Amino acid sequence: MSNQMSILDHIIEFRKRIFIVIGCFVILFFGSYPITPYFIDLLKSTSQESGFELNIFKITESVLIYIKIMFILSFAITIPIMLIQLLLFIFPALNIRQKKLSYIFLPITSILFLVGNLLSLKFLSPLLLTFFEKASN
């Protein structure tokens, strides 16, 4: 291991990885603006199927809902990117077997995470709306 890094080099490398994750989050936040109406329509249709009517009581609520959905979308997409950056940070310390396993499990983990988010949005939303309606009465 003639290629050892000092603590300062590790901190600089970790800082670089954090900036990449933050940059991806910001880009995805603004990039999710065009697809946000799809998710709003999905929430509206879910609430209508469950027999609920969504209301906006303040002028600023519609903008805040847009921003919240953009935040949630960008956060959900950034988590696999953060996992990749974390793995790239610790990759030099892994042995050959661990590196091979990480090549297999990283894409599978990322895909399953995103699929799980979409399925929970589609199937758990009606259950949550029903629960909140019963809890508020």
Side-chain angles (χ1 to χ4, degrees):
M1 292 201 130
S2 62
N3 196 1
Q4 290 192 359
M5 296 171 62
S6 68
I7 292 178
L8 184 62
D9 292 336
H10 282 291
I11 292 172
I12 290 171
E13 178 71 19
F14 191 66
R15 180 177 159 249
K16 182 182 91 169
R17 303 281 178 202
I18 289 174
F19 282 146
I20 290 171
V21 171
I22 291 171
C24 287
F25 177 80
V26 170
I27 290 169
L28 288 169
F29 180 78
F30 292 110
S32 65
Y33 179 76
I35 62 170
T36 301
Y38 168 76
F39 287 96
I40 290 176
D41 291 339
L42 184 65
L43 288 174
K44 283 181 185 178
S45 67
T46 302
S47 67
Q48 289 171 350
E49 289 171 3
S50 299
F52 297 104
E53 182 179 340
L54 300 177
N55 296 314
I56 296 176
F57 295 110
K58 295 180 185 175
I59 295 173
T60 57
E61 279 186 16
S62 60
V63 174
L64 290 176
I65 290 170
Y66 232 81
I67 290 172
K68 287 176 185 178
I69 290 177
M70 288 169 53
F71 180 83
I72 291 169
L73 285 173
S74 58
F75 185 73
I77 297 171
T78 303
I79 287 179
I81 295 170
M82 184 173 55
L83 181 64
I84 291 168
Q85 292 301 317
L86 181 65
L87 188 64
L88 289 174
F89 179 71
I90 64 169
F91 211 66
L94 300 177
N95 61 30
I96 303 279
R97 182 174 175 267
Q98 293 168 335
K99 287 179 183 180
K100 287 180 183 177
L101 286 174
S102 65
Y103 286 133
I104 294 170
F105 288 120
L106 184 65
I108 293 171
T109 305
S110 299
I111 291 169
L112 288 176
F113 176 76
L114 294 174
V115 168
N117 283 336
L118 292 174
L119 288 175
S120 67
L121 180 66
K122 184 67 178 168
F123 295 115
L124 289 181
S125 294
L127 295 172
L128 284 174
L129 288 172
T130 305
F131 170 75
F132 287 134
E133 190 233 353
K134 288 180 181 177
S136 65
N137 288 333

